[in-house]
Amino acid sequence: MSKARLMELKDIEEQNRPVIVLLLSEGCPEEWAGHVGAGCEEEGVPMAWGRMPKGRASSLAKEAAVLSRLEVGIGIDEKESAVTVFSLAEHPPYVTAFHGKDPLVLRWLGHNASRLVKREPLLDKEEFLKKRRVPNDFSRKLQSAAMKLPETGEGAYEELVNKIVAYVMEELKNVRGGL
């Protein structure tokens, strides 16, 4: 998700749009909002984000749910992430996870916040990550093949591209909805 497409909270307040609200604690990089936003976007639900000076993920999520017209809020601090709904404000968050600064975990969080809005079943974190991670052995093969490209010429380049395309097409079959 590009920076230009990330909606900041102040813009949403002016437009009064129904969005999921994400609140980042002050120490979190802006790019994390982009990863969460990508997950929301893939599910078709808009998201806006803002910053809070400090706070734990669970309290940020509760505050975000109060601000959201969709009544779904996401909170992220330096270590944890949480999703909750307005009606659960007095209870622990609906979804929590240690994100470990992992973009895929943040994207999964956006998917699940959107699924709460749509009242669809939540995605299992481990299954989500497994389907989207590039296996280490394939990653090593690509790096090794890329190192040889300048030496071997155009034919090797086309072969590498064909292998990548075949791998991506195979992996797309495993993603929800398939090809």
Side-chain angles (χ1 to χ4, degrees):
M1 173 175 268
S2 68
K3 273 189 177 181
R5 296 184 66 193
L6 282 177
M7 291 185 275
E8 290 194 43
L9 203 51
K10 62 183 180 200
D11 301 328
I12 300 311
E13 290 171 348
E14 293 169 6
Q15 299 170 13
N16 199 26
R17 292 184 60 191
V19 295
I20 293 171
V21 173
L22 161 66
L23 292 178
L24 294 172
S25 69
E26 198 59 48
C28 300
E30 183 178 327
E31 71 187 51
W32 290 3
H35 297 308
V36 175
C40 291
E41 184 178 290
E42 289 167 1
E43 292 285 344
V45 179
M47 182 204 81
W49 71 282
R51 287 198 181 276
M52 295 296 276
K54 54 185 161 182
R56 293 191 51 179
S58 58
S59 61
L60 294 172
K62 289 175 184 181
E63 180 67 26
V66 169
L67 296 172
S68 170
R69 280 189 53 207
L70 296 175
E71 298 184 350
V72 174
I74 305 169
I76 299 178
D77 62 30
E78 289 81 3
K79 296 178 183 175
E80 294 181 293
S81 52
V83 177
T84 197
V85 294
F86 179 76
S87 60
L88 295 177
E90 300 301 317
H91 302 283
Y94 200 75
V95 176
T96 59
F98 288 101
H99 56 72
K101 303 177 184 179
D102 185 337
L104 283 177
V105 173
L106 296 169
R107 183 178 233 129
W108 166 81
L109 201 68
H111 274 273
N112 278 335
S114 298
R115 287 171 158 265
L116 281 173
V117 169
K118 298 187 306 181
R119 297 185 175 155
E120 291 182 1
L122 300 182
L123 299 173
D124 177 75
K125 182 174 134 188
E126 297 309 316
E127 188 176 315
F128 179 88
L129 297 176
K130 183 179 174 184
K131 286 183 177 181
R132 284 164 178 80
R133 289 217 194 281
V134 175
N136 286 338
D137 60 330
F138 185 73
S139 180
R140 275 188 245 111
K141 287 178 189 176
L142 286 180
Q143 289 172 353
S144 173
M147 298 288 278
K148 297 175 186 173
L149 282 180
E151 306 165 3
T152 55
E154 188 69 27
Y157 177 76
E158 285 184 35
E159 182 181 340
L160 177 62
V161 169
N162 289 335
K163 286 180 180 180
I164 292 170
V165 169
Y167 174 77
V168 168
M169 296 303 287
E170 184 63 31
E171 289 300 309
L172 283 174
K173 292 177 186 175
N174 298 326
V175 176
R176 188 182 89 184
L179 287 173

